[in-house]
Amino acid sequence: MTGLWVLVATLVAAAAAGALLKARNGRVRDAKPARELPAPVTAALDPASAVTLVQISTTFCAPCRHAKAVLAPLAERTPGLHHVELDVTNQPEVAQSLSVLRTPTTIALTPDGRELLRVGGVPQGPELLAALRPHLPSRTP
């Protein structure tokens, strides 16, 4: 009988953990405190764009491909928005210095390297765009 209770408790804990991860996936979060950016990130910033979306990825990350499929077209059709994907498979110190614990993580940065927001997991395009609107150039009719 004890084994049954252990099984039930394990299933409940796993379901709760899964629900929490699903709820946090793709959610726009506030920026982390200011810090010096690693050289690969600084090199990836586009000085001509108001916002650069730096997608932190790894080689074997399946959700990273989905994130790129959301972010690349979003940047192409949005003036002032630029997207770059940074593979940190062989550069774990870059992820560590940015406090990135999972891939994909997308960090929105200004041309001078100030972090505006970050998204863990696959971002939701409309939600991300709404959060970035105040930092993008306004459209003229």
Side-chain angles (χ1 to χ4, degrees):
M1 190 66 170
T2 303
L4 179 63
W5 288 113
V6 169
L7 176 64
V8 169
T10 302
L11 291 175
V12 168
L20 177 65
L21 287 174
K22 184 176 181 183
R24 292 185 57 174
N25 189 41
R27 193 179 81 213
V28 175
R29 296 177 299 172
D30 292 333
K32 297 276 184 177
R35 69 183 143 269
E36 186 175 339
L37 293 176
V41 176
T42 304
L45 294 178
D46 181 9
S49 297
V51 177
T52 299
L53 298 174
V54 179
Q55 177 187 334
I56 307 298
S57 300
T58 52
T59 303
F60 299 105
C61 168
C64 294
R65 291 188 290 274
H66 296 289
K68 184 177 181 178
V70 170
L71 296 173
L74 184 67
E76 287 174 10
R77 69 176 183 262
T78 307
L81 190 60
H82 180 69
H83 169 255
V84 293
E85 184 176 13
L86 187 62
D87 188 334
V88 297
T89 302
N90 297 319
Q91 309 173 66
E93 66 280 357
V94 172
Q96 183 179 8
S97 68
L98 293 171
S99 300
V100 171
L101 300 176
R102 66 185 276 201
T103 57
T105 292
T106 304
I107 304 172
L109 299 165
T110 61
D112 63 355
R114 184 173 53 91
E115 184 175 328
L116 301 172
L117 57 86
R118 62 176 51 206
V119 179
V122 179
Q124 298 172 10
E127 182 183 336
L128 178 60
L129 195 55
L132 290 174
R133 276 282 174 229
H135 306 286
L136 296 171
S138 59
R139 293 184 182 178
T140 55

